Amino acid sequence: MRIAELSERSGVPIPTIKYYLREGLLPRGEATGRNQARYGDEHLSRLRLVRALTTVGGLSVATVREVLAEVGEPDVGLHSKLGLVMRRLPLVGDDIEPLEEDRERALALVTRRGWHFYPDHPALHALAVVLAGHREVGHSVGDADLDRYAEAAEGIAAVDLDRISGLPATEEVLEGAVVKTVLGDTLLTVLRRLAQVDESAARNLEGAGRRAARGD
Amino acid sequence: MRIAELSERSGVPIPTIKYYLREGLLPRGEATGRNQARYGDEHLSRLRLVRALTTVGGLSVATVREVLAEVGEPDVGLHSKLGLVMRRLPLVGDDIEPLEEDRERALALVTRRGWHFYPDHPALHALAVVLAGHREVGHSVGDADLDRYAEAAEGIAAVDLDRISGLPATEEVLEGAVVKTVLGDTLLTVLRRLAQVDESAARNLEGAGRRAARGD
């Protein structure tokens, strides 16, 4: 198909497609003339993927390029490859510098949960940054709440890994893991918001016997 | 304190502070001369709050202004006020238009969970958008996974509401709820990533008897 059709079918404007081509996010099409190229279904899939990761997942174009480059590189096993890909995903801004106490709390949590961890993993640093952010505005998260959140995260990670365990480290499997992690963060945020509405309504209407009516 | 000290103590550069003053995110200080003003601890707290919500929470300056304006308005009860504040939090880009089937799946999920919901709530629309994003890239989330994620979200929302139930709808309580929701989204993303590392390691090393060694 021509670039116009590619644009129409993907919903991505032509200038954006040209930008992705220049940035190497989308492979060049097959040249059919001096200024023309033909694109295939693989271009359409890739465009949709880039759009979903940026629009729904909130990733920058630069990050998408890095992550997809990592996905495309051959490697040994699924788990080591997954680790490399996931380390590329951005987690939190670096404007806030955690204190030693924030770092210690982050380390204490993963230790308390018995989590296998890497001391240099960006997520461990990010945890210290987020704890610092809470502390700085006077709304620190207590250990009990942190443990309950961590427990929920364990349940989520089990779902995440259940889907792909035992599969080979192909580009398709890794791409699926990236999509379900990045878009999944947004999905979980949305589900949390909806569950908060329900939880808030339940507590607000408790006096009116709502829970009793639901049989809770 | 002068603006220079405010900048030093908050870690926010002076030009940024001036920008926040212009945008109404930070109340004016007490004028002490033609081009000078004095700032108090309430300015310092507010600056730290704005920085945490933008840096760690990823909100735009415009959204922070809206949300904090809503927090500052008097209202009747905690739960109705919380609802108004939470509706102001951004969830997902609007570049992807969900299909009828995505909307139906979103509705089916909240119905299946027995969640109290509002048909016009932005989170319900956002859920349809996220489901559309997954579908468009060929990695739809199955109902079973969706239910397990929703269950985790219920556990998270219970923690969220436990902290504030029974408290009055003061600016401090509402501000805390915003911080713990917005920064909490980042916290949960980070915890998920750390739990994934553990889960991936556990499955990868299963053959080596790691789980047996842990006594699982």
Side-chain angles (χ1 to χ4, degrees), chain A residues 68-114:
Chain A
L68 294 184
E70 185 71 66
V71 163
E73 297 247 316
D75 191 75
V76 274
L78 175 69
H79 292 278
S80 59
K81 187 70 201 179
L82 261 185
L84 289 174
V85 171
M86 293 299 162
R87 274 174 184 252
R88 301 241 173 208
L89 297 178
L91 281 170
V92 63
D94 55 4
D95 280 20
I96 289 183
E97 184 62 35
L99 298 180
E100 192 50 39
E101 65 177 276
D102 304 310
R103 272 188 258 275
E104 276 168 16
R105 285 198 69 204
L107 207 58
L109 178 72
V110 293
T111 308
R112 202 158 67 231
R113 302 306 300 179

